[in-house]
Amino acid sequence: MMRRTGIVLAGLLAAVSGTAVMAEEVPPSVVREERSAAGLNAAGEIVIDRAGIPHIYAASARDGFFLQGYAVARDRLWQIDLWRKRGLGRLSASFGPAFVAQDRAARLLLYRGDMGKEWGAYPAAAKGWTEAFVSGINAFVGDVEAGRQPLPPEFSESGSRPERWQADDVVRIRSNALASNVAAEVERARALCGGAGAYEAMRAPLEPASHKLVIPKGLDPCSIPKDVLDEYLLGTSEVRFDGKALSLALRDPDVQEGSNNWVIAPPRSATGRPIMANDPHRAHSVPNLRYLSHIDTPELKIAGAGEPALPGMSLGHNEDAAWALTIFAIDQQDLVVNPKGAKLTEVREQIEVKGEAPREVVLKFTADGPVIHEDAASGRSFALRATWNQPGASAYFNASWAFTAKTWDDFRAAQTHWGAPPLNLLYADKGGTTGWLAAGFVPKRVAGDGLLPVPAGKAYGWNGLLDGALMPVVKDPAQGWFATANQYNVPAGYPYLLGLEWANPSRMERISEVISAKPKFGISDAMALQADVTSPFARRTVKLLAGLEGRNAAETGALALLRGWNGELGAGSAAAALYEIWTRRHLSQAAVKAIVPETMREAMGSASLAGVVQVLEEGKLAAQISHAILLDSLVGAWAETTRRLGPDPAQWRWGTLHVADFRPTLALPGRGSEQRVGPLGIGGGASTPNAASWSGDFQLVTGPSVRLVMDVGAWDNSMAINTPGQSGDPASPHYRDLFARWAGGAYVPFVWTRARVLLEAERIITVTPAR
């Protein structure tokens, strides 16, 4: 049943809130729907605003999470169903034998410990919240099965159906965590095996730079097979329906998933209240990784952005406090080399296969963790030791501690319990307290530093985890603000080893210079900074060209275009186009060719741009070598830019090459144009606050899909954006409606009070218990 109305009936509101209320005015264009759902205890509402954000009103926290699950399933059923099937190793049951290997790999990475201990690591209410959340998902699945709601077209196209959820499914899946650094260990071992150890600072610089790499005793770097991580990669990969094989490829060191966040204390804030900003950077997709929502119940009120398959929000606020996150580079993984003949424990499981009989697979484990590779030639096996095997390491689930935090001391519970992924947590409350807390499980290594694989045994084992209360914190920073951008920020003198591989500090440098320059920093300033496309690292790199003279017209033209450039990677910038092509496609390659002996280059793999720039800055190379690297690479970049953008540099535009072009996991035949979002030229790069890392074809691959700016205590002033939209249904008006706004740095209101929510309302769904 559907109708339009100009008021929300007082009787319904009384049922939702449990109190008598006056009728409320809503815009006459608002559409009302009425539904019933099995498992809901009392009537509630889902108010969908004009940006597609659900604002959920329920009689209890339990019903609030139920309706959140129902709303998520309404918008993202295909996405979350695929997430669950991938994580649990149930793809073959829906899509056939081509996915058996991926299912086996995923099952190796599941949490297999005691579920009582797992749930006991989270707040006491968390299991009940999760049970309610999955009940809401299941209620929507029931509506689909009964024909009351349409089946998303991807299910029909793939010949599959959505499955029912259990609460344990949510926390057992570990392969979605941003854990590190097993891939880096393998790349480093391969480089050392090939004799390229002398070039590690250029290949993958460490912080602190003074740290010396030591090969663990008993480890032969050449004993690490090239395909050792193939199964790990398969188990952590997204689902592909194009039939292309997955294999381990060297990571691009200049494409990283990261995030920015900052908190402004009242003395530095233009509002007189704390301001909290967060824009997590992850791989772009359609729909994207995160979902904005708001839950309002008598005992719990929260709003923010989270993973659609998890209850609540990973970043956001409650009535009293706000929190934000970025990755903090704790090393939480080791590749363990088992000798020939090592005892392996076998677990046999049945994998359901569509159209065939179930297949039995054998999973192998050691005390360190799952065996992810067996080398037939040597008899060695390789196990993954990871903190995510511990209770309480479900990715982002420990945000549930923040839902009820009212004070700094309350919020420290989130820090001390946090498992994965490792994070910089920022905090602010209505009382004006602000601060930073590093969080995540830290392995206490008996020996070694986590940079290379280790031999099995006690010598390089783990002696438990560091007490979370010993992690570094800063309460009420003296400068009046605090920011993080995945850069090295371990306090000087901190006594425990956390990690040695951190992001390029360029984003943090730009954030710092912008905030420091403003005595009072406001909401609009925060939005502008999240969209900022200036790169201090680009300015630093261009300084290397000082004093050089072109040997030909191409070099002279390139030097003229880049000298004096301010490092702004705007979509309309010619210098940005040349710079990105130069640094990402020519400079590092020229440096490796000039510096690294040919016999070592294959083993070394890609050089980090940051490492190359550091080597050139140090001035230890002969002048003719460094000049040749810079000029020869500029010639190549000028030629490529000319080939791609034409002979007239005045017509070059970075946004002509650098585009956002999002496509779904499963493209439906004949509906590609409906499902595709883009292409749209954009600015930015990996080293700008508006992080916009691109792949080899210049297409945007990672960056901020969701941005949130919160006015702490005056929550109605908060702003947000999500791209391309809240819905995963191409037929929905909220599938791509936010894309152009996001690309242009615009936001939508993310309001809090009911009166403001109703003014923003587009649709009101009344949900009553099924009888």
Side-chain angles (χ1 to χ4, degrees):
M1 179 180 180
M2 183 182 298
R3 66 179 186 275
R4 296 181 184 273
T5 181
I7 62 171
V8 178
L9 299 179
L12 174 62
L13 294 181
V16 172
S17 65
T19 60
V21 296
M22 297 295 291
E24 297 169 300
E25 292 293 330
V26 300
S29 60
V30 170
V31 174
R32 176 173 291 283
E33 299 180 33
E34 295 179 0
R35 301 182 185 179
S36 62
L40 186 66
N41 290 337
E45 284 183 338
I46 305 172
V47 180
I48 310 295
D49 71 18
R50 287 175 288 190
I53 302 170
H55 301 260
I56 294 157
Y57 296 90
S60 65
R62 185 266 171 204
D63 277 5
F65 285 107
F66 178 100
L67 290 175
Q68 186 192 33
Y70 190 90
V72 165
R74 174 183 177 272
D75 281 325
R76 305 279 189 98
L77 184 58
W78 168 254
Q79 180 191 35
I80 63 173
D81 184 76
L82 196 61
W83 179 89
R84 176 186 171 276
K85 288 171 179 172
R86 184 207 66 81
L88 294 178
R90 289 195 50 79
L91 294 170
S92 301
S94 288
F95 309 119
F99 293 91
V100 170
Q102 187 167 1
D103 280 345
R104 181 189 180 278
R107 294 185 186 203
L108 281 170
L109 305 178
L110 284 169
Y111 173 74
R112 292 178 173 270
D114 182 276
M115 289 308 299
K117 292 181 179 178
E118 171 69 5
W119 286 112
Y122 307 117
K127 184 176 183 181
W129 293 340
T130 309
E131 289 171 339
F133 178 77
V134 300
S135 292
I137 295 173
N138 291 339
F140 190 86
V141 171
D143 283 352
V144 170
E145 292 172 342
R148 292 186 292 270
Q149 296 296 324
L151 179 71
E154 293 91 346
F155 290 100
S156 299
E157 177 61 28
S158 63
S160 65
R161 290 295 182 268
E163 295 184 339
R164 302 292 180 113
W165 293 53
Q166 296 180 3
D168 286 0
D169 299 343
V170 173
V171 296
R172 288 188 67 221
I173 297 171
R174 300 296 213 233
S175 52
N176 61 318
L178 287 178
S180 62
N181 68 340
V182 67
E185 291 179 16
V186 172
E187 291 169 16
R188 188 169 287 109
R190 288 170 61 181
L192 293 178
C193 175
Y199 306 100
E200 271 297 288
M202 187 167 73
R203 189 192 68 83
L206 304 176
E207 292 187 86
S210 59
H211 185 86
K212 301 301 182 184
L213 179 65
V214 177
I215 298 175
K217 293 180 180 179
L219 174 71
D220 175 7
C222 294
S223 69
I224 310 301
K226 290 184 177 181
D227 60 350
V228 68
L229 293 186
D230 279 7
E231 193 153 26
Y232 171 81
L233 176 71
L234 192 59
T236 54
S237 292
E238 295 304 314
V239 184
R240 297 177 65 159
F241 292 95
D242 57 12
K244 294 180 180 179
L246 291 166
S247 61
L248 177 64
L250 290 178
R251 300 167 301 147
D252 184 335
D254 299 310
V255 174
Q256 298 179 345
E257 292 185 333
S259 305
N260 306 320
N261 63 9
W262 58 84
V263 60
I264 311 296
R268 290 292 305 275
S269 170
T271 69
R273 298 175 295 272
I275 294 173
M276 180 76 78
N278 200 180
D279 54 307
H281 309 159
R282 297 291 298 274
H284 284 291
S285 61
V286 51
N288 76 55
L289 174 68
R290 294 202 162 91
Y291 184 75
L292 292 162
S293 60
H294 169 203
I295 299 174
D296 189 314
T297 73
E299 71 264 36
L300 183 67
K301 303 179 193 300
I302 52 176
E307 292 64 34
L310 272 64
M313 299 90 196
S314 300
L315 56 136
H317 67 87
N318 56 35
E319 291 181 281
D320 300 286
W323 66 97
L325 53 84
T326 70
I327 292 296
F328 180 75
I330 299 172
D331 184 344
Q332 296 185 320
Q333 296 177 326
D334 282 344
L335 182 67
V336 179
V337 184
N338 300 306
K340 182 178 181 179
K343 183 179 180 181
L344 308 180
T345 300
E346 295 187 356
V347 174
R348 297 179 180 273
E349 292 189 358
Q350 297 288 318
I351 293 181
E352 295 179 45
V353 182
K354 181 180 179 180
E356 297 184 2
R359 296 191 189 182
E360 184 177 78
V361 294
V362 179
L363 310 177
K364 298 181 181 181
F365 301 86
T366 71
D368 290 307
V371 174
I372 59 174
H373 185 78
E374 293 182 86
D375 185 47
S378 66
R380 298 185 187 94
S381 61
F382 300 82
L384 176 67
R385 184 192 292 148
T387 57
W388 69 28
N389 292 329
Q390 301 296 315
S394 180
Y396 297 103
F397 197 80
N398 271 302
S400 53
W401 290 98
F403 298 168
T404 57
K406 297 179 180 294
T407 67
W408 171 265
D409 289 340
D410 291 341
F411 192 72
R412 288 211 65 177
Q415 178 205 31
T416 56
H417 288 88
W418 197 279
L423 297 176
N424 293 284
L425 295 172
L426 292 187
Y427 170 86
D429 62 37
K430 292 193 300 185
T433 298
T434 62
W436 164 74
L437 310 91
F441 286 165
V442 179
K444 296 165 65 177
R445 292 180 170 86
V446 175
D449 52 18
L451 291 175
L452 285 163
V454 295
K458 294 181 179 179
Y460 288 94
W462 290 0
N463 188 19
L465 302 174
L466 183 69
D467 184 345
L470 299 176
M471 293 293 283
V473 301
V474 173
K475 182 181 180 183
D476 292 326
Q479 64 184 358
W481 60 273
F482 202 98
T484 76
N486 317 115
Q487 84 286 1
Y488 178 62
N489 62 345
V490 179
Y494 184 73
Y496 304 105
L497 176 64
L498 301 175
L500 295 159
E501 297 161 300
W502 304 81
N504 185 313
S506 180
R507 286 183 285 116
M508 181 60 199
E509 290 167 1
R510 178 58 176 168
I511 291 167
S512 179
E513 68 185 26
V514 170
I515 295 177
S516 298
K518 297 186 75 67
K520 296 290 185 179
F521 193 85
I523 297 293
S524 60
D525 297 318
M527 292 188 289
L529 182 52
Q530 286 184 334
D532 189 281
V533 293
T534 298
S535 169
F537 184 73
R539 297 193 300 234
R540 174 182 159 194
T541 306
V542 168
K543 284 183 180 179
L544 294 169
L545 304 177
L548 294 182
E549 294 184 5
R551 300 167 298 187
N552 50 50
E555 292 176 0
T556 301
L559 290 169
L561 186 58
L562 292 177
R563 281 176 177 159
W565 175 54
N566 64 0
E568 183 177 334
L569 275 70
S573 171
L578 177 61
Y579 170 81
E580 286 289 294
I581 290 175
W582 172 47
T583 54
R584 286 286 306 282
R585 298 171 70 92
H586 294 273
L587 179 58
S588 294
Q589 294 83 338
V592 170
K593 184 177 180 180
I595 298 171
V596 181
E598 185 174 0
T599 56
M600 302 178 185
R601 291 173 197 163
E602 181 179 357
M604 177 176 169
S606 300
S608 159
L609 178 58
V612 168
V613 170
Q614 181 175 314
V615 167
L616 292 170
E617 287 176 331
E618 288 172 350
K620 296 179 181 179
L621 296 174
Q624 63 268 30
I625 294 177
S626 60
H627 291 176
I629 290 170
L630 292 166
L631 292 174
D632 290 349
S633 60
L634 270 180
V635 167
W638 185 268
E640 181 176 353
T641 310
T642 299
R643 185 172 67 253
R644 292 181 179 277
L645 297 177
D648 183 3
Q651 301 302 314
W652 293 353
R653 300 290 182 267
W654 174 222
T656 302
L657 295 173
H658 188 225
V659 298
D661 191 4
F662 303 153
R663 308 184 192 211
T665 301
L666 180 63
L668 304 179
R671 296 185 59 191
S673 60
E674 293 179 44
Q675 294 180 279
R676 181 180 182 182
V677 181
L680 186 62
I682 61 170
S687 60
T688 63
N690 185 7
S693 293
W694 49 274
S695 64
D697 60 0
F698 301 97
Q699 185 169 317
L700 178 71
V701 291
T702 66
S705 57
V706 67
R707 301 183 181 115
L708 187 57
V709 177
M710 295 169 277
D711 188 345
V712 177
W715 306 114
D716 278 336
N717 298 332
S718 299
M719 304 293 288
I721 194 67
N722 204 5
T723 194
Q726 284 279 100
S727 175
D729 178 4
S732 168
H734 300 299
Y735 180 73
R736 58 166 56 82
D737 58 323
L738 302 180
F739 179 63
R741 295 190 194 188
W742 162 84
Y747 292 69
V748 297
F750 192 21
V751 295
W752 174 255
T753 62
R754 185 172 175 85
R756 286 291 308 276
V757 169
L758 292 177
L759 288 177
E760 296 289 333
E762 175 186 271
R763 182 179 299 267
I764 299 175
I765 304 172
T766 302
V767 189
T768 56
R771 303 300 181 191

